[in-house]
Amino acid sequence: MKKIFTLAVAALLTIGTASAQKNWFVGGSVGVGFSSYEPEGGNKDKTNLFTISPEAGYQFNDTWAAGLGATFINGKIYNFRFNGTLFDEKMKWNEWSVAPFVRATVVKWGNFETMLKCVARIGGGEFQEDTDGALNREFTHLGVFITTVLAYSISETIQLQAVINSLGLSYNYMDVKDIGKQSDFGFSANTNDVLNTGNFQIGFVVRF
């Protein structure tokens, strides 16, 4: 009986310690992406995209965390090129994805942290002419991104974060109905890629 009581106390202390460490977290980030690309002898490509990315996860230790997020993108694109096809009309762009992630802290100094975040996104969306909507194309996409996250903890509960998409790796695969498929790999954010959600996003997480 004494052993059982000792084990029960130890279990309660373990649960209490894990709770005190506030391992669970929820939060997200928002971003506005403006980019342009003008190939030699061609028309300038432009994108204006707004992104919101909620997430929830669990901090396993001082280094590793994992969780599940989502990404929603809305905006307009101009002179959109895909798989050799040019859409020279102004297009409305809507996109969604489910985004599981793994995150690692690589540098920690006081309340400041630098983290690398690997995100896998799978989802879909559509784009259509902004004027009369005569052209409407649905698409599916898959992406893997490794981005840099700068964070500052203002308390044990709240942490501010800045996601820098231009510092990392990315792989994108996209399948547009009735047009074709396209994939690309890059060592940084590609300003000619409509799946680029902007070079900078800001947000926060709440631990509990």
Side-chain angles (χ1 to χ4, degrees):
M1 181 67 68
K2 184 177 180 180
K3 289 184 178 180
I4 296 176
F5 176 76
T6 302
L7 290 174
V9 172
L12 289 174
L13 289 175
T14 301
I15 295 173
T17 301
S19 177
Q21 291 176 345
K22 300 183 184 297
N23 291 351
W24 293 96
F25 61 87
V26 295
S29 62
V30 296
V32 180
F34 300 98
S35 63
S36 63
Y37 173 75
E38 188 169 8
E40 185 176 350
N43 295 326
K44 179 179 288 188
D45 297 331
K46 299 179 180 178
T47 64
N48 302 317
L49 300 173
F50 174 77
T51 304
I52 181 170
S53 303
E55 67 178 29
Y58 185 83
Q59 186 79 37
F60 296 100
N61 51 45
D62 290 340
T63 302
W64 293 101
L68 180 65
T71 299
F72 304 94
I73 302 175
N74 178 268
K76 295 181 180 180
I77 57 177
Y78 306 81
N79 290 335
F80 169 45
R81 287 179 175 82
F82 179 82
N83 203 24
T85 301
L86 172 63
F87 300 90
D88 55 2
E89 299 291 335
K90 183 167 62 174
M91 299 284 182
K92 292 181 179 179
W93 188 272
N94 291 287
E95 179 184 330
W96 64 269
S97 61
V98 178
F101 66 88
V102 176
R103 194 183 67 204
T105 299
V106 293
V107 177
K108 188 171 183 178
W109 183 59
N111 291 344
F112 292 92
E113 291 183 62
T114 300
M115 299 176 282
L116 292 179
K117 185 177 184 180
C118 180
V119 184
R121 293 181 186 147
I122 182 169
E126 66 175 3
F127 60 90
Q128 62 181 355
E129 286 183 352
D130 187 38
T131 52
D132 55 13
L135 175 64
N136 189 306
R137 291 289 185 272
E138 296 180 351
F139 64 85
T140 58
H141 68 87
L142 170 67
V144 179
F145 308 86
I146 300 177
T147 60
T148 302
V149 181
L150 304 179
Y152 178 77
S153 297
I154 61 177
S155 69
E156 292 185 357
T157 303
I158 300 176
Q159 183 182 69
L160 304 179
Q161 295 185 349
V163 182
I164 306 175
N165 294 322
S166 59
L167 298 177
L169 302 173
S170 65
Y171 171 78
N172 296 317
Y173 169 84
M174 190 171 175
D175 186 353
V176 179
K177 186 178 180 180
D178 300 328
I179 298 179
K181 304 174 183 179
Q182 178 176 290
S183 63
D184 64 84
F185 174 82
F187 288 99
S188 62
N190 182 359
T191 57
N192 192 33
D193 182 2
V194 295
L195 291 181
N196 176 18
T197 61
N199 290 335
F200 189 75
Q201 291 175 245
I202 58 173
F204 68 94
V205 296
V206 177
R207 306 184 185 102
F208 59 95

